[in-house]
Amino acid sequence: MTPDKNPCKVYLDAEFTNFENPELLSIALCAEHGPELYLELDLSQPGSNRTAKRSSDFTRDVVLSQLGQIPGAAVGAKDIGNRIATWIQDLPAAQVVVVYDFQPDYDLLERALRESAIGLEAIQKIVPVIGDFIWSEEGAAQRAEKSWEKSEAEWIFRHHALADARALRAADAEAMPNC
């Protein structure tokens, strides 16, 4: 398949251990009109379990309690970057505009890709865009709230990477229908 010359917009959210030394716990990428990717650390693995233990109280109470609910999402730390890279490379666009509203989310995405054996090619395809402006758009909060309500039907709530990436996507009033 030849990639589309128009960019594809993807919304990113990540959950991590703490603000002082953020380590990735889960990540979601949601294409505007297409596929979603959600991955989380497999906490049954010793290294991942040690990472989770470095979490803040908030993360332990709110984020870790939501992990393990999506079948097939738990992967080893070394596999996360490869899975993300493959997903990005499979998108039908030459460029992928990754929209995020919190800088550590993108930093953790890029770190996972750089630590991956195949991530550098995916990084070259990405155009990062800090999308905090989305929240000032008229109706953004209401669109996000409706998205969170839909996610709650799947028993995932705010501060779950997939629920929050979907809410960011819903909040954005613009459209780039190429993926």
Side-chain angles (χ1 to χ4, degrees), residues 6 14-15 20 24 31 46 53 72 74 83 86 110 113 126 142 173:
N6 294 313
E15 300 300 333
E20 294 78 33
L24 187 66
K53 287 180 180 178
R83 296 269 304 268
T86 298
E110 189 171 298
L113 289 170
I126 293 174
Q142 294 85 356

Side-chain angles (χ1 to χ4, degrees), residues 18-47:
N18 58 61
F19 289 113
E20 294 78 33
N21 185 24
E23 296 174 79
L24 187 66
L25 295 170
S26 64
I27 192 163
L29 295 158
C30 297
E32 187 159 32
H33 299 290
E36 297 177 336
L37 176 68
Y38 172 73
L39 301 169
E40 61 189 42
L41 281 181
D42 181 351
L43 296 182
S44 69
Q45 295 187 2

Side-chain angles (χ1 to χ4, degrees), residues 25-177:
L25 295 170
S26 64
I27 192 163
L29 295 158
C30 297
E32 187 159 32
H33 299 290
E36 297 177 336
L37 176 68
Y38 172 73
L39 301 169
E40 61 189 42
L41 281 181
D42 181 351
L43 296 182
S44 69
Q45 295 187 2
S48 297
N49 197 309
R50 284 191 296 275
T51 298
K53 287 180 180 178
R54 291 190 286 274
S55 295
S56 68
D57 290 340
F58 173 85
T59 300
R60 275 193 287 281
D61 293 344
V62 178
V63 175
L64 293 178
S65 64
Q66 295 193 70
L67 298 184
Q69 298 187 74
I70 299 181
V75 297
K78 293 181 181 182
D79 295 327
I80 287 179
N82 289 336
R83 296 269 304 268
I84 295 168
T86 298
W87 188 84
I88 288 171
Q89 289 302 103
D90 287 347
L91 291 172
Q95 286 188 318
V96 177
V97 177
V98 175
V99 180
Y100 56 96
D101 62 356
F102 192 56
Q103 187 63 46
D105 293 349
Y106 183 78
D107 295 343
L108 290 166
L109 167 70
E110 189 171 298
R111 182 186 309 162
L113 289 170
R114 288 191 185 285
E115 291 173 356
S116 159
I118 60 173
L120 292 179
E121 192 173 332
I123 289 172
Q124 293 172 352
K125 191 174 177 176
I126 293 174
V127 177
V129 173
I130 183 78
D132 53 354
F133 64 89
I134 291 171
W135 297 110
S136 62
E137 293 177 359
E138 186 175 335
Q142 294 85 356
R143 291 189 298 273
E145 193 62 45
K146 285 182 182 180
S147 176
W148 277 310
E149 288 172 10
K150 287 180 186 176
S151 291
E152 287 176 11
E154 298 176 43
W155 293 98
I156 59 173
F157 303 89
R158 290 177 199 223
H159 304 295
H160 185 285
L162 184 56
D164 291 352
R166 287 174 175 170
L168 182 60
R169 175 177 62 189
D172 191 0
E174 294 184 10
M176 291 175 80

